[in-house]
C-alpha cells in the first residue's frame, strides 16, 4: 500500500509540474517483456577515471544473458554469457583456452541487465518516479534500490523514452549518489526472438 501511495502521489506531482508520464503503459510493457536485444554503450566510473565499452546485450527474463563487446579494440569479440547455471567467457585474443568458466556472476555485470533492474524495482520498498528530458526526448525515470550492502552499487535509475517506450539509459549510483555505471541503449528490440544457440559458446 505504501508503494502504491508513493507512486500515485509522485505521478500526480510529475503530471502537474513537469509533464505527463507514460508510466502505466511503460510499466506494463516492461513487466511483460520476455527478452530483448540492444546495442549498449557501457561506462564504468571509478576514482581513477572512466572506462567505456561498446557491446551488444541479449537477455531473457529467466536470467540468461549474453554480452558481446566490440570496443575498445583490445576487447573486440569478447563474449560474456550466463546460461542460467554458469558464467562463460570467450576471449579471441588468447591463443589457447579461449573459453573459460568463471562462477559466480559479478554484480557489476549482472546489474546492467534490465531484468535485474526490474526485479529490484518490484522489490524496492521506496521507489520514485519522475519525468526528465534526455537528448530532446521526454522520458519517464524509474528508480530502485539495489539489494545488499555494496557501497559502490546502492541505487539505480532507468530512463524510458515516453514516445518510443524504449529504455534509453540505466545509471547505477554508489551510496554517496555518485554515478558508477552508465549504460546507454540504442536499437532496442523488445521480445527479441532468441534461438537455441544464443546462450551457447562455440570456439
Amino acid at each position: 500500500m505504501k508503494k502504491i501511495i508513493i507512486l500515485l502521489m509522485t505521478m500526480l506531482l510529475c503530471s502537474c509540474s513537469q509533464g505527463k508520464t507514460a508510466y502505466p503503459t511503460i510499466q506494463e510493457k516492461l513487466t511483460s517483456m520476455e527478452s530483448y536485444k540492444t546495442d549498449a554503450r557501457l561506462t564504468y566510473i571509478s576514482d581513477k577515471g572512466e572506462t567505456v565499452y561498446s557491446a551488444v546485450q541479449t537477455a531473457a527474463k529467466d536470467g540468461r544473458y549474453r554480452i558481446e563487446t566490440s570496443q575498445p579494440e583490445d576487447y573486440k569479440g569478447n563474449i560474456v554469457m550466463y546460461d542460467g547455471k554458469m558464467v562463460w567467457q570467450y576471449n579471441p585474443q588468447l591463443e589457447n583456452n579461449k573459453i573459460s568458466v568463471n562462477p559466480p556472476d559479478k554484480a557489476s555485470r549482472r546489474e546492467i541487465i534490465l531484468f535485474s533492474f526490474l526485479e529490484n524495482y518490484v522489490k524496492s520498498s521506496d521507489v520514485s518516479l519522475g519525468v526528465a528530458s534526455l537528448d530532446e526526448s521526454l522520458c519517464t525515470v524509474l528508480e530502485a534500490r539495489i539489494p545488499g550492502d555494496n557501497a559502490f552499487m546502492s541505487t539505480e535509475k532507468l530512463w524510458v523514452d515516453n514516445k518510443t517506450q524504449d529504455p534509453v539509459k540505466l545509471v547505477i549510483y554508489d551510496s554517496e549518489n555518485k554515478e558508477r555505471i552508465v549504460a546507454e541503449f540504442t536499437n532496442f528490440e523488445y521480445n527479441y526472438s532468441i534461438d537455441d544457440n544464443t546462450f551457447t559458446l562455440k570456439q
Side-chain angles (χ1 to χ4, degrees):
M1 178 61 70
K2 178 182 177 183
K3 183 174 181 178
I4 294 174
I5 292 173
I6 292 172
L7 284 174
L8 290 174
M9 291 179 63
T10 310
M11 286 173 66
L12 180 61
L13 291 171
C14 289
S15 296
C16 293
S17 62
Q18 301 180 37
K20 186 177 180 180
T21 73
Y23 176 78
T25 305
I26 285 174
Q27 185 190 39
E28 290 169 5
K29 191 170 184 178
L30 287 174
T31 54
S32 64
M33 184 169 63
E34 297 294 329
S35 62
Y36 72 85
K37 182 178 181 180
T38 184
D39 295 331
R41 185 178 188 271
L42 308 171
T43 304
Y44 291 84
I45 305 165
S46 69
D47 295 336
K48 297 181 180 180
E50 299 182 357
T51 305
V52 180
Y53 301 90
S54 295
V56 175
Q57 265 189 28
T58 307
K61 193 173 185 176
D62 61 11
R64 295 177 298 163
Y65 67 78
R66 177 188 179 105
I67 303 173
E68 185 166 353
T69 303
S70 58
Q71 294 289 335
E73 191 66 27
D74 290 347
Y75 290 86
K76 186 175 182 178
N78 278 29
I79 298 172
V80 178
M81 187 194 73
Y82 178 61
D83 64 4
K85 296 180 180 179
M86 307 290 284
V87 177
W88 299 81
Q89 290 187 324
Y90 171 71
N91 185 349
Q93 310 296 332
L94 299 177
E95 293 185 6
N96 301 303
N97 301 319
K98 293 185 177 183
I99 296 178
S100 58
V101 182
N102 297 274
D105 199 3
K106 290 183 179 180
S108 59
R109 185 168 53 229
R110 183 180 63 253
E111 292 302 334
I112 64 172
I113 303 299
L114 289 175
F115 289 113
S116 291
F117 172 86
L118 293 174
E119 182 180 353
N120 295 340
Y121 181 77
V122 170
K123 292 180 179 178
S124 293
S125 57
D126 296 317
V127 297
S128 69
L129 171 71
V131 178
S133 295
L134 182 65
D135 296 333
E136 300 182 356
S137 297
L138 192 63
C139 295
T140 293
V141 184
L142 309 176
E143 183 175 3
R145 183 166 297 280
I146 299 173
D149 298 319
N150 190 331
F152 291 97
M153 292 187 296
S154 180
T155 60
E156 54 188 343
K157 291 181 181 180
L158 177 66
W159 279 253
V160 183
D161 188 294
N162 282 1
K163 184 177 181 179
T164 65
Q165 297 182 3
D166 289 343
V168 291
K169 185 170 76 168
L170 175 69
V171 179
I172 294 175
Y173 302 87
D174 64 16
S175 57
E176 297 180 353
N177 205 34
K178 295 179 181 178
E179 293 185 354
R180 289 299 181 179
I181 303 175
V182 179
E184 299 167 281
F185 307 116
T186 55
N187 303 317
F188 194 90
E189 297 182 59
Y190 273 100
N191 293 332
Y192 175 76
S193 180
I194 297 177
D195 59 39
D196 294 337
N197 295 321
T198 301
F199 300 115
T200 302
L201 287 181
K202 296 181 179 180
Q203 189 166 356

